[in-house]
């Protein structure tokens, strides 16, 4: 049953990496270089905004139904992306894709949590880590092959057969307890949350790039984000069915602590994924043709360590040590990466990446399991959506800040973009990332080791959802 869930996760992860590889060809065909950033920004923005909404709808109307619907949205967006005749059409279709991606991200972990109790969930961490590794490494390779031998349009259309297999698999094989709840949808909360996230992501994305950080545009976005967030909190305190119940943040301290760790992991993973290959290609002379393989020294330890940590957690019920050790290793690995220069051998860089990957492997899935174990089953979907929300927002904000640091380093070299400027830029990024990992390590020390639930994920047996739901 879980294979279908993993296939949908792979569908979403592969898309980002494949499309990134195909972007130069897309721009050459459709034009619109000035709008290029929106192809990425709109996808990330819509994904972040819709993630908690999908999670809440899953809790209310059935997680299987919502997961199937999200896959359908993603496939429809993929089909339209491949058929786009202009950059405007492509951006609109990417927004539709982002809606589906938000549901896939929120639904996958909620479904796993619904099917597998926390005590047993560690056995599946290796499977989840494998999907991430395949997406990160295989995406650029697949994107390069498709672009070179077929057409950039197949970078999107390739999602259709995989998506169809996933839809059929989940429809036929996945069985969940029926879930029909009559409740009013918190449209006001959804609107305020969307406004807050949109303003925050756009502000950090545009700040220092399209507009100066001190410009009125960025200041206005900051005000919109703050006012929307304040309004959202006020609304969530009084509505009957809040889209993001505040009780999940106040019920047990493990949840907000795990959210903080997830935020750091999202920023560090995306930052490392962008700037490590750039350093290896620009400074160390690595080939860009096989850019996905450059991440193997980091992603392979993620897979191995995540699998081992999950098995230990399932066997012993102990887990607090993993986020502590993981964030510490992340800080050490990033600090070592910050020492790199133009003379650093690629083999030594790979060793530093192994340390970073070993740290990430102990945090990526473990923090999610800890968070899900600290909420009630009725909030499982929205809790899973919150995890993906903060991972996405962490990645968006992290990349924006890292980009600002990198660009500042380049500009400080009197306008000459050379090897030294790249070294200084990546050093600034890894120093900040190491500090972020250290803060996450402090948060991990305050995690309480609550016994993991061993029983079935649902409290009461009920009739299953229809197979074709």
């Amino acid at each position: 049953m879980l294979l279908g869930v993993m296939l949908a996760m792979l569908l979403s992860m592969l898309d980002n990496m494949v499309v990134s590889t195909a972007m130069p060809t897309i721009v050459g065909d459709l034009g619109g270089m000035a709008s290029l950033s929106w192809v990425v920004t709109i996808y990330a923005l819509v994904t972040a905004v819709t993630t908690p909404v999908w999670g809440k709808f899953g809790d209310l109307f059935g997680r299987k139904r919502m997961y199937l619907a999200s896959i359908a949205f993603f496939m429809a967006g993929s089909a339209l992306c491949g058929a786009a005749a202009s950059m405007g059409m492509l951006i609109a279709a990417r927004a539709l894709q982002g809606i589906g991606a938000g549901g896939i991200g929120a639904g996958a972990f909620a479904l796993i949590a619904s099917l597998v109790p926390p005590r047993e969930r560690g056995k599946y961490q290796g499977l989840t880590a494998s999907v991430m590794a395949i997406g990160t490494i295989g995406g650029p390779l697949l994107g390069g092959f498709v672009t070179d031998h077929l057409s950039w349009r197949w970078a999107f259309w390739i999602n259709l057969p995989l998506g169809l297999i996933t839809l059929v698999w989940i429809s036929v094989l996945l069985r969940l307890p029926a879930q029909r709840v009559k409740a009013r949808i918190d449209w006001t909360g959804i609107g305020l949350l969307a406004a807050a996230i949109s303003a925050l992501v756009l502000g950090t994305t545009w700040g220092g790039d399209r507009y100066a950080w001190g410009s009125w545009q960025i200041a206005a976005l900051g005000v919109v984000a703050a006012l929307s967030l304040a309004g959202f909190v006020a609304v969530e305190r009084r509505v009957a069915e809040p889209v993001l119940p505040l009780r999940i943040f106040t019920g047990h301290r493990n949840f907000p602590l795990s959210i903080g760790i997830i935020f750091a992991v999202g920023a560090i993973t995306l930052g490392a994924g962008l700037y490590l290959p750039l350093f290896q290609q620009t400074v160390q002379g690595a080939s860009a043709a096989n850019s996905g393989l450059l991440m193997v020294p980091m992603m392979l330890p993620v897979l191995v360590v995540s699998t081992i940590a999950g098995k230990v957690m399932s066997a012993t019920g102990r887990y607090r040590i993993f986020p502590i050790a993981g964030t510490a290793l992340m800080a050490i690995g990033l600090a070592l990466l910050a020492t790199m220069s133009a003379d650093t051998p690629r083999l030594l860089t790979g060793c530093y990446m192994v340390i970073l990957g070993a740290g990430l492997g102990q945090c990526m899935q473990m923090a999610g399991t800890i968070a899900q174990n600290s909420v009630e089953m009725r909030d499982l979907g929205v809790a899973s959506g919150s995890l993906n929300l903060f991972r996405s927002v962490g990645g968006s904000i992290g990349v924006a800040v890292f980009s600002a640091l990198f660009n500042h380093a380049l500009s400080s070299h009197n306008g000459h973009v050379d090897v030294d400027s790249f070294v200084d830029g990546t050093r600034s990024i890894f120093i900040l990332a190491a500090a972020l990992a250290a803060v996450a390590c402090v948060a991990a020390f305050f995690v309480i080791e609550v016994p993991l639930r061993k029983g079935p994920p649902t409290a009461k047996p009920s009739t299953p959802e229809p197979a074709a739901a």
Side-chain angles (χ1 to χ4, degrees):
M1 291 187 294
L2 287 180
L3 182 57
V5 179
M6 295 296 122
L7 282 174
M9 287 180 62
L10 179 61
L11 183 72
S12 178
M13 286 207 66
L14 273 176
D15 180 77
N16 261 332
M17 306 304 294
V18 171
V19 171
S20 297
T21 308
M23 281 309 300
T25 307
I26 294 173
V27 172
D29 188 12
L30 298 182
M33 176 62 77
S35 304
L36 173 62
S37 62
W38 271 104
V39 177
V40 178
T41 300
I42 195 67
Y43 181 90
L45 180 60
V46 173
T47 298
V49 167
T50 58
T51 289
V53 179
W54 280 110
K56 184 62 179 180
F57 280 11
D59 287 339
L60 290 176
F61 308 120
R63 297 184 184 112
K64 177 179 175 180
R65 286 187 180 86
M66 293 299 102
Y67 202 57
L68 290 172
S70 67
I71 296 170
F73 270 102
F74 190 86
M75 291 176 63
S78 298
L80 292 174
C81 282
S86 66
M87 191 62 78
M89 277 187 64
L90 179 61
I91 291 170
R94 285 285 281 173
L96 184 60
Q97 253 194 327
I99 293 175
I104 291 172
F109 293 103
L111 285 171
I112 293 172
S114 297
L115 294 167
V116 185
R119 181 63 184 267
E120 302 299 318
R121 208 168 298 155
K123 298 176 182 179
Y124 298 90
Q125 284 190 184
L127 184 59
T128 306
S130 299
V131 170
M132 294 182 176
I134 292 171
T136 303
I137 298 169
L141 298 177
L142 180 61
F145 176 84
V146 167
T147 304
D148 291 342
H149 295 87
L150 297 173
S151 161
W152 65 263
R153 298 183 185 277
W154 280 99
F156 299 102
W157 288 339
I158 200 171
N159 294 329
L160 301 181
L162 182 58
L164 183 60
I165 293 171
T166 305
L167 277 175
V168 173
W169 189 292
I170 293 176
S171 297
V172 174
L173 297 180
L174 183 62
R175 293 288 189 273
L176 290 177
Q179 195 170 0
R180 293 180 176 86
V181 179
K182 290 184 178 180
R184 296 184 63 181
I185 298 174
D186 179 21
W187 293 115
T188 303
I190 290 173
L192 289 169
L193 180 62
I197 295 172
S198 299
L200 181 62
V201 172
L202 289 176
T204 54
T205 300
W206 287 343
D209 181 18
R210 178 172 295 190
Y211 306 108
W213 283 107
S215 66
W216 70 266
Q217 291 94 339
I218 300 302
L221 287 170
V223 170
V224 170
L227 292 177
S228 298
L229 183 60
F232 173 74
V233 171
V235 168
E236 299 306 276
R237 289 181 181 276
R238 62 178 177 79
V239 296
E241 278 294 341
V243 66
L244 192 60
L246 300 182
R247 62 177 176 266
I248 67 176
F249 294 95
T250 59
H252 197 289
R253 75 186 193 189
N254 277 5
F255 188 83
L257 290 172
S258 299
I259 286 291
I261 296 171
I262 286 291
F263 182 93
V265 167
I268 291 168
T269 303
L270 199 52
L274 285 173
Y275 288 99
L276 270 173
L278 181 64
F279 180 89
Q280 291 173 298
Q281 293 171 26
T282 305
V283 178
Q284 297 180 325
S287 170
N290 296 319
S291 57
L293 299 178
L294 297 176
M295 297 303 293
V296 170
M298 188 178 88
M299 294 309 300
L300 189 59
V302 170
L303 170 59
V304 174
V305 173
S306 180
T307 302
I308 295 173
K311 289 184 180 298
V312 171
M313 183 186 73
S314 293
T316 66
R318 314 292 291 185
Y319 55 83
R320 180 173 176 268
I321 186 59
F322 293 114
I324 295 174
T327 49
L329 281 175
M330 286 162 55
I332 293 171
L334 290 162
L336 290 172
L337 287 168
T339 66
M340 294 189 301
S341 68
D343 298 324
T344 302
R346 287 167 59 184
L347 178 61
L348 188 57
T349 298
C351 293
Y352 297 161
M353 293 172 69
V354 168
I355 297 173
L356 174 58
L360 288 170
Q362 295 182 70
C363 296
M364 274 186 171
Q365 308 304 318
M366 197 67 67
T369 298
I370 294 171
Q372 290 171 332
N373 190 58
S374 65
V375 301
E376 300 177 22
M377 287 305 302
R378 60 174 174 160
D379 294 325
L380 197 55
V382 74
S384 300
S386 298
L387 290 170
N388 283 280
L389 168 64
F390 281 92
R391 183 186 289 111
S392 299
V393 172
S396 298
I397 294 177
V399 167
V401 174
F402 293 155
S403 177
L405 284 174
F406 189 76
N407 291 333
H408 176 73
L410 295 184
S411 63
S412 66
H413 282 252
N414 298 320
H416 297 293
V417 179
D418 53 17
V419 170
D420 289 338
S421 63
F422 273 86
V423 170
D424 289 347
T426 51
R427 179 180 293 122
S428 300
I429 289 169
F430 292 130
I431 289 173
L432 178 59
L436 182 60
V439 172
C441 187
V442 173
F445 268 101
F446 289 93
V447 169
I448 301 173
E449 197 157 58
V450 178
L452 297 170
R453 290 190 292 262
K454 296 181 181 179
T458 50
K460 297 179 181 179
S462 57
T463 56
E465 289 185 22

